[in-house]
């Protein structure tokens, strides 16, 4: 917490404006005002943001190839507690703080759930006072911007660093690190000892860019360190004696520059389909090696005992993307520290913990041996040795060769990164109860049976400061009026809201706040798309990445069904609805792109049909991301969480919606299970196959979608609409979607669940008519959402994983 008076702030702002731009305030641009403000705030926190004291406690390092931060200004002001004085001060200088907040870039250095979770965790680590830092990549281009052209997704590069630098970053050239690719590895004898020599490698410089992560009203300022890849500078302090020699030709120099800079050029836009690209492997090793070397350097600087690294340092890997932390740490302990294999292994396995975020086979990383051998020769040797020892351990324990093959780290010429992570860490966690159970009982069963003590669940959470306090100030104000301030640091206190569930004044006020948020979103939709949506209609929202398993298509089929019903019975009593979508598709995911096109075409059809005017609207909001989520989620009445049961590991938007008072329409998948445990089926709408039913179907070759299609005529009509010209401006995309349902037997049970979904939607619609019942349910949702603060999640990681203070002793070292 810092304090600054309005007067002091104004002076500071003015002198900063002169020192940075030599300009009077009233002549400066919005962008300059923003830069000056950020610079003032950075000065204010600078003292607190010194290197954290490594010798007092254990430090946590969270490695993630994505951090989806969102805008920082508002959240920094909130956490520092200076929003009011600064707002007032700026006002007197003729500057509107909200304009500055809105004009900040939204760094999109992540795809979706996994990257956003990493950002929420950073916020929580700082806010609960944990010394926890992030390591990632400073991509020049973040996730593409999405535009619709004739209803189709078009990707536009996200050139977010237009000014060259990011507002909140500080570059630290004195802390740059050398990362080595390719080359030859030898064993050489030195004074009777064998030493590993890496020659002819390609050196790449990792330049650290630090972003402060400010805790909520406490003294913590942690660091997110993002690495940019560069050509090593001539005066670069680290030895390049064994580096590949370049002849010095102009062309060669250009190629080398390109080789180095390419690594941190762009975020891969896939979030579920592993492609195995060489450049991606370079990215993974690049940031892992830089981070591990950075930790090691700091550790040595503090003259700490290397034999106790695991007592001072916790390294967490966010999915398998940073899995090379394992061999990289081994490399340092073996080749630089000269520890024995057994000791290096013991330290490594007690330092590294791993989170799995998916059970989808196609998202699992498997790197070809040949690729890794060439790109990372020393790292590959270490992986091979780990595998050799692991196999001999497995062989001594089991005779089932199939099981051993499944568990092997290297198999069929590929390195299975999840297997490497499990074998080499002391903790493996899933991200919601059902997900963890599925890991233990199905996907990772062999490993769970082998080392059950490694497995644990950590149900995801969200930064309630961003997703409630900052995104929904009116609701936050109401909550504080009713139950006081304490919920802001202890979200379990939200439970006290239940005392007001029969207080009609409170329920009216809740309704009014939701309405106001809906007006804000309606205005945005009007401005952007010239579509007039009625804030009195039900705002039914599905926002998330576009994927077949998330079943935007199921939502759409229900919309089509409803549309037909209204056409057939024009006098039908229906609660007006606005269906809102937001979703990016991976650029190479053809079916997902077809689904976007179909939704857009249906939206056109419905929005322009006078027969359903005032009853039905469909809006697909372009370029969904963190900033839009902050506008959309507080305005939602209905939260669509309708994935095929077993497929969504957790989901986190489900939590954000709940905290903002939306009612969840859900399958019992991911963290919807926990939501259901908290509030019961009477406070949400459930439908669809159970996990057990889905698993059974999958084991027995699925159900027959074509049979269902022929027996359910309503469904048949809607499915046929995809190909019979009923939806205008739809060509091959409709056929593609049709085929996924009929020709390819509906892998994600869309048609199988459609009827039950329709039933649940009908019940929801009925409930909406009873205003107080609806708002009571909304209040109960908010009151029970406290457990989903990522503060709770992070404390559990600390308690059960990072600081649990016991070592494991692997038998196969
Ligand atoms: C290997 C590559 C293709 C890849 C890249 C990104 C694979 C996966 C991902 C990202 C996955 C992801 O975002 N998973 C989501 O993680 C959230 C946080 O745990 C979960 O809430 C959500 O259910 C899960 O889909």
């Amino acid at each position: 917490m810092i304090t600054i008076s309005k007067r002091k702030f104004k002076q500071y702002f003015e002198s900063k404006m002169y020192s940075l731009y030599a300009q009077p305030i009233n002549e400066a641009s919005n962008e300059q005002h923003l830069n000056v403000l950020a610079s003032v705030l950075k000065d204010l926190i600078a003292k607190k943001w010194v290197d954290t004291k490594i010798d007092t406690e254990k430090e946590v390092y969270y490695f993630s190839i994505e951090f989806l931060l969102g805008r920082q200004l508002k959240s920094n002001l909130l956490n520092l507690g200076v929003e009011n004085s600064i707002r007032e001060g700026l006002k007197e200088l003729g500057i509107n703080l909200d304009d500055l907040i809105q004009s900040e870039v939204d760094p999109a250095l992540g795809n979706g759930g996994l990257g956003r979770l990493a950002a929420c965790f950073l916020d929580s680590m700082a806010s609960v006072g944990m010394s926890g830092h992030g390591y990632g990549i400073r991509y020049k281009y973040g996730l593409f911007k999405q535009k619709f052209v004739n209803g189709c997704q078009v990707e536009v590069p996200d050139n977010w660093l237009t000014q060259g630098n990011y507002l909140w970053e500080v570059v630290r050239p004195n802390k740059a690190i050398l990362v080595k690719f390719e080359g030859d590895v030898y064993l050489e004898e030195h004074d009777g000892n064998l030493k590993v020599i890496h020659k002819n490698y390609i050196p790449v410089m990792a330049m650290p860019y630090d972003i402060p992560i400010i805790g909520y009203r406490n003294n913590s300022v942690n660091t997110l360190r993002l690495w940019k890849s560069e050509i090593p500078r001539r005066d670069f302090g680290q030895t390049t004696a064994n580096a590949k020699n370049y002849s010095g030709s102009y062309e060669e120099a250009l190629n080398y520059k390109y080789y180095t800079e390419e690594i941190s050029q762009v975020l891969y836009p896939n979030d579920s389909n592993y492609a195995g690209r060489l450049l991606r492997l370079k990215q993974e090793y690049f940031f892992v090696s830089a981070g591990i070397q950075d930790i090691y350097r700091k550790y040595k600087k503090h003259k700490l005992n290397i034999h106790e690294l695991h007592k001072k340092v916790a390294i967490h890997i966010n999915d398998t993307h940073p899995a090379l932390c394992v061999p990289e740490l081994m490399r340092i302990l073996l080749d630089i520290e000269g520890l024995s294999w057994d000791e290096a292994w013991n330290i490594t396995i007690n330092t590294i913990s791993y989170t799995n975020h998916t059970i989808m086979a196609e998202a699992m990383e498997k790197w070809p041996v040949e690729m890794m051998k060439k790109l990372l020769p020393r790292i590959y040797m270490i992986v091979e040795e780990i595998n050799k020892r692991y196999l001999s351990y497995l062989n001594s324990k089991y005779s089932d060769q199939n099981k051993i093959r499944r568990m092997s780290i290297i198999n069929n010429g590929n390195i299975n990164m999840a297997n490497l992570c499990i074998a080499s860490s002391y903790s493996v966690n899933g991200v919601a109860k059902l997900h963890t159970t599925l890991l233990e009982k199905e996907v990772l069963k062999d490993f769970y049976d082998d080392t059950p003590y490694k497995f644990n669940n950590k149900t995801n959470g969200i930064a309630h400061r961003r997703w409630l306090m900052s995104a929904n100030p009116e609701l936050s104000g109401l909550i504080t009026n009713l139950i006081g301030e304490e919920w802001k640091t202890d979200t379990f206190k939200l439970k006290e809201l239940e005392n007001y569930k029969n207080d009609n004044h409170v329920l009216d006020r809740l309704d009014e706040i939701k309405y106001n948020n809906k007006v804000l979103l309606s205005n945005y939709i009007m401005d952007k798309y010239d579509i007039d949506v009625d804030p009195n209609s039900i705002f039914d929202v599905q926002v998330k990445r576009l994927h077949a398993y998330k079943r935007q298509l199921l939502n759409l089929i229900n919309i089509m069904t409803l549309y037909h019903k209204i056409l057939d019975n024009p006098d039908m009593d229906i609660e007006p609805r606005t269906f809102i979508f937001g979703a990016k598709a991976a650029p190479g995911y053809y079916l997902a792109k077809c689904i976007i096109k179909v939704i857009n075409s249906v939206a056109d059809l419905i929005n322009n049909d006078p027969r359903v005017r005032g009853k039905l609207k469909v809006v697909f909001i372009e370029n969904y991301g963190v900033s839009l989520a902050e506008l959309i989620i507080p305005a939602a009445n209905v939260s669509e969480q309708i994935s095929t049961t077993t497929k969504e590991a957790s989901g986190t938007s489900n939590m954000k919606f709940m905290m903002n008072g939306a009612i969840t329409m859900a399958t019992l998948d991911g963290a919807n299970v926990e939501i259901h445990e908290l509030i019961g089926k009477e406070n949400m709408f459930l439908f669809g196959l159970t996990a057990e039913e889905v698993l059974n179907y999958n084991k027995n070759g699925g159900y027959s979608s074509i049979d269902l299609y022929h027996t359910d005529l309503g469904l048949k009509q809607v499915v046929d609409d995809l190909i019979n010209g009923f939806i205008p401006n739809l060509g091959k995309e409709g056929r593609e979607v049709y085929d996924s349902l009929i020709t390819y037997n509906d892998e994600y049970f869309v048609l199988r669940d459609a009827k039950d979904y329709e039933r649940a939607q009908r019940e929801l619609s009925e409930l909406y008519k009873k205003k107080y019942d609806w708002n009571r349910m909304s209040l109960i949702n908010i009151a029970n959402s406290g457990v989903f603060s990522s503060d709770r999640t992070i404390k559990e990681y600390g308690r059960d994983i990072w600081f649990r203070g016991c070592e494991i002793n692997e038998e196969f070292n």
Side-chain angles (χ1 to χ4, degrees):
M1 181 107 183
I2 54 169
T3 46
I4 183 163
S5 69
K6 192 173 63 178
R7 188 183 55 83
K8 260 235 157 97
F9 167 72
K10 281 164 58 188
Q11 281 172 359
Y12 210 152
F13 190 91
E14 188 155 34
S15 73
K16 210 25 152 213
M17 178 61 80
Y18 282 115
S19 67
L20 283 182
Y21 296 112
Q23 245 196 144
I25 291 172
N26 60 6
E27 283 177 25
S29 67
N30 210 43
E31 196 174 288
Q32 288 173 324
H33 289 154
L34 185 59
N35 283 338
V36 169
L37 178 57
S39 178
V40 168
L41 289 174
K42 273 191 282 185
D43 287 354
L44 291 176
I45 59 161
K47 270 209 194 76
K48 292 180 185 153
W49 192 23
V50 288
D51 269 356
T52 4
K53 291 162 239 63
I54 195 168
D55 44 4
T56 54
E57 54 179 308
K58 198 169 181 179
E59 301 238 318
V60 177
Y61 295 98
Y62 196 87
F63 281 72
S64 178
I65 204 160
E66 308 187 358
F67 285 93
L68 193 47
L69 290 180
R71 290 177 178 146
Q72 293 296 291
L73 175 56
K74 197 169 176 200
S75 143
N76 284 344
L77 291 172
L78 173 75
N79 288 5
L80 289 169
V82 295
E83 182 171 339
N84 286 342
S85 49
I86 285 181
R87 180 180 293 280
E88 289 303 309
L90 286 172
K91 199 169 164 193
E92 289 177 17
L93 296 170
I95 300 166
N96 181 338
L97 176 60
D98 291 323
D99 292 346
L100 300 189
I101 288 172
Q102 289 305 318
S103 66
E104 189 186 344
V105 290
D106 180 345
L109 308 186
N111 274 286
L114 168 146
R116 182 55 230 173
L117 186 77
C120 286
F121 281 3
L122 291 179
D123 182 280
S124 283
M125 286 193 285
S127 294
V128 306
M130 197 183 274
S131 186
H133 309 281
Y135 277 120
I137 298 177
R138 182 183 181 272
Y139 298 104
K140 183 167 182 198
Y141 296 94
L143 186 64
F144 64 87
K145 288 197 178 337
Q146 179 193 52
K147 287 219 162 12
F148 294 145
V149 176
N150 191 22
C152 299
Q153 167 174 297
V154 170
E155 299 96 24
V156 179
D158 169 48
N159 190 7
W160 69 294
L161 293 166
T162 39
Q163 298 180 55
N165 280 308
Y166 174 47
L167 205 55
W168 300 101
E169 72 189 5
V170 175
V171 54
R172 302 196 192 278
N174 56 325
K175 297 202 170 156
I177 277 180
L178 198 74
V179 178
K180 301 171 182 179
F181 291 95
E182 304 187 35
D184 312 302
V185 175
Y186 307 92
L187 278 180
E188 271 180 20
E189 208 186 298
H190 283 263
D191 310 327
N193 295 321
L194 284 178
K195 276 206 81 155
V196 177
I197 307 291
H198 189 177
K199 280 189 177 153
N200 300 321
Y201 56 81
I202 302 173
V204 173
M205 188 172 70
M207 182 61 78
Y209 285 75
D210 289 357
I211 299 168
I213 306 295
I214 301 171
Y216 180 70
R217 313 272 162 109
N218 61 12
N219 280 315
S220 298
V221 183
N222 290 335
T223 301
L224 168 59
R225 178 161 285 180
L226 300 180
W227 303 96
K228 173 174 183 271
S229 62
E230 292 181 8
I231 193 163
R233 298 179 181 181
R234 215 188 283 273
D235 60 349
F236 194 41
Q238 302 181 42
T239 173
T240 50
N242 282 319
K244 185 174 160 125
N245 277 320
Y246 287 89
S247 63
S249 81
Y250 182 65
E251 197 188 340
E252 212 175 40
L254 276 185
N255 282 340
Y256 180 30
K257 186 168 155 36
Y258 184 74
Y259 184 99
T260 59
E261 290 178 358
E262 189 194 19
I263 295 173
S264 61
Q265 198 72 4
V266 59
L267 167 80
Y268 274 95
N270 290 339
D271 76 333
S272 51
N273 216 300
Y274 165 72
R277 307 300 261 272
L278 176 64
L279 180 60
R280 168 76 172 204
L281 184 60
K282 286 184 192 169
Q283 291 185 333
E284 293 186 357
Y285 184 64
F286 168 73
F287 94 100
V288 157
S289 176
I292 298 280
Q293 291 188 62
D294 199 35
I295 294 169
Y296 175 67
R297 178 177 58 191
K298 191 164 156 190
Y299 198 78
K300 296 302 271 189
K301 194 176 120 196
H302 284 79
K303 300 203 166 32
L304 293 169
N305 179 354
I306 196 70
H307 306 286
E308 300 195 331
L309 181 84
H310 54 294
K311 297 187 177 149
K312 295 282 182 192
V313 170
I315 292 174
H316 199 87
I317 57 184
N318 197 21
D319 217 291
T320 59
H321 321 143
L324 293 172
C325 279
V326 171
E328 180 66 1
L329 182 56
M330 285 296 285
R331 181 185 73 79
I332 287 179
L333 296 174
L334 294 168
D335 300 357
I336 301 179
E337 281 293 325
L339 301 188
S340 69
W341 179 278
D342 287 355
E343 191 184 7
W345 181 252
N346 190 51
I347 293 173
T348 301
I349 201 169
N350 280 294
T351 303
I352 294 180
S353 47
Y354 153 65
T355 298
N356 172 291
H357 293 267
T358 185
I359 63 163
M360 306 251 296
E362 63 266 35
M364 295 297 187
E365 290 192 296
K366 294 186 177 71
W367 291 107
V369 164
E370 291 312 312
M371 192 188 275
M372 193 177 290
K373 218 181 209 169
K374 178 159 189 298
L375 185 72
L376 309 167
R378 178 59 183 146
I379 291 302
Y380 178 69
M381 287 168 73
I382 294 170
V383 172
E384 203 174 33
E385 182 67 22
I386 295 173
N387 186 47
K388 200 180 99 194
R389 289 171 185 245
Y390 193 50
L391 283 180
S392 78
Y393 157 76
L394 292 174
N395 273 304
S396 72
K397 206 167 163 184
Y398 307 109
S399 55
D400 179 349
Q401 287 305 306
N402 283 327
K403 181 188 181 93
I404 293 174
R405 203 167 309 119
R406 288 195 301 268
M407 295 178 77
S408 178
I409 295 165
I410 303 177
N411 190 15
N412 254 335
N414 287 311
I415 304 159
N416 183 318
M417 302 307 272
N419 292 11
L420 175 65
C421 289
I422 301 163
S424 322
S425 60
Y426 64 93
S427 169
V428 176
N429 76 280
V431 290
K433 282 183 192 167
L434 174 64
H435 170 59
T436 302
T437 306
L438 289 169
L439 292 179
E440 293 173 354
K441 302 274 151 64
E442 304 278 333
V443 191
L444 303 177
K445 182 175 187 313
D446 297 324
F447 294 94
Y448 177 69
D449 291 347
D450 186 52
T451 52
Y453 51 86
K454 287 189 182 184
F455 286 74
N456 61 95
N457 175 246
K458 292 288 162 283
T459 299
N460 283 165
I462 56 166
H464 67 278
R465 287 165 288 275
R466 175 177 294 268
W467 296 106
L468 176 52
M469 293 166 63
S470 165
N472 200 343
E474 253 197 294
L475 180 56
S476 291
L478 172 65
I479 296 171
T480 304
N481 283 342
L482 295 174
I483 64 171
E485 298 267 358
E486 265 180 77
W487 67 274
K488 294 180 178 172
T489 45
D490 175 6
T491 50
F492 286 94
K493 288 264 159 25
L494 287 170
K495 187 81 180 164
E496 292 171 18
L497 286 173
E498 278 194 351
N499 296 335
Y500 299 91
K501 69 179 182 199
N502 294 316
D503 182 330
N504 286 356
H505 290 296
V506 170
L507 298 181
D508 279 336
R509 181 69 191 121
L510 199 59
D511 194 70
E512 189 179 33
I513 291 169
K514 185 61 82 182
Y515 180 85
N516 294 343
N517 290 330
K518 286 162 80 176
V519 169
L520 294 177
L521 178 57
S522 308
N523 293 343
Y524 178 85
I525 291 171
M526 179 47 102
D527 278 3
K528 276 266 180 189
Y529 308 108
D530 205 22
I531 300 177
D532 187 11
V533 301
D534 177 5
N536 285 307
S537 63
I538 304 176
F539 277 25
D540 184 322
V541 184
Q542 187 173 18
V543 283
K544 47 184 80 252
R545 283 298 286 256
L546 212 137
H547 197 290
Y549 86 79
K550 296 182 188 276
R551 300 200 295 189
Q552 281 90 355
L553 196 50
L554 176 59
N555 191 344
L556 186 82
I557 283 178
N558 181 59
I559 295 171
M560 290 291 290
T561 306
L562 208 54
Y563 178 54
H564 279 293
K565 282 211 160 131
I566 304 174
L567 297 188
D568 293 347
N569 316 288
D571 299 326
M572 189 175 133
D573 174 30
I574 153 179
E575 206 48 45
R577 274 227 219 186
T578 302
F579 290 96
I580 295 167
F581 291 89
K584 288 182 183 175
Y589 187 176
Y590 185 60
L591 176 62
K593 290 183 141 178
C594 291
I595 293 173
I596 290 181
K597 169 76 182 180
V598 173
I599 297 176
N600 275 324
S601 308
V602 169
D604 262 358
L605 171 69
I606 290 180
N607 297 344
N608 294 309
D609 186 338
R611 294 170 296 176
V612 296
R613 188 157 300 150
K615 295 179 180 162
L616 221 50
K617 281 266 156 70
V618 181
V619 183
F620 201 141
I621 296 179
E622 276 170 321
N623 200 39
Y624 178 65
V626 176
S627 293
L628 273 170
E630 290 169 11
L631 176 69
I632 296 169
I633 292 171
N637 297 117
V638 181
S639 158
E640 296 284 347
Q641 308 297 339
I642 60 177
S643 52
T644 309
T645 313
T646 72
K647 297 292 182 192
E648 189 70 272
S650 160
T652 43
S653 76
N654 43 2
M655 305 170 184
K656 296 165 195 164
F657 280 107
M658 179 188 186
M659 209 175 255
N660 281 280
I663 307 299
T664 311
M665 167 62 69
T667 49
L668 272 179
D669 196 19
N672 304 343
V673 172
E674 278 95 325
I675 295 181
H676 175 242
E677 274 177 15
L678 285 160
I679 58 175
K681 65 177 187 322
E682 62 279 16
N683 287 302
M684 66 195 297
F685 290 88
L686 289 176
F687 73 97
L689 295 174
T690 62
E692 211 184 338
E693 288 168 325
V694 170
L695 292 176
N696 275 335
Y697 270 131
N698 285 343
K699 279 173 192 149
N700 302 309
Y703 81 113
S704 167
S705 66
I706 196 152
D707 287 352
L708 183 59
Y709 163 87
H710 283 301
T711 49
D712 184 331
L713 295 182
L715 212 48
K716 181 169 185 306
Q717 180 183 33
V718 177
V719 173
D720 286 344
D721 286 345
L722 292 165
I723 50 169
N724 63 13
F726 180 79
I727 305 167
N729 191 22
L730 192 63
K732 57 188 190 315
E733 297 90 356
R735 168 61 65 177
E736 185 75 18
V737 173
Y738 176 95
D739 282 344
S740 79
L741 295 172
I742 304 301
T743 317
Y744 303 111
N745 201 26
D746 188 15
E747 188 183 348
Y748 294 104
F749 304 96
V750 173
L751 301 183
R752 180 68 181 74
D753 276 346
K755 217 180 177 73
D756 201 26
Y757 182 56
E758 195 195 332
R759 187 262 319 147
Q761 283 286 17
R762 213 170 30 240
E763 289 176 13
L764 180 145
S765 200
E766 283 307 305
L767 183 80
Y768 196 77
K769 292 181 182 151
K770 301 178 210 144
K771 274 274 148 308
Y772 287 107
D773 289 350
W774 180 276
N775 287 316
R776 183 172 310 109
M777 201 187 270
S778 170
L779 186 88
I780 290 171
N781 270 271
I782 301 166
N784 286 282
S785 67
V787 64
F788 294 122
S789 165
S790 45
D791 292 1
R792 186 269 310 153
T793 314
I794 255 344
K795 285 179 192 159
E796 288 179 3
Y797 274 87
R799 186 193 64 201
D800 304 341
I801 304 178
W802 302 326
F803 309 122
R804 71 178 189 180
C806 65
E807 289 179 37
I808 65 164
N809 195 351
E810 275 305 314
E811 294 158 58
F812 69 96
N813 59 19

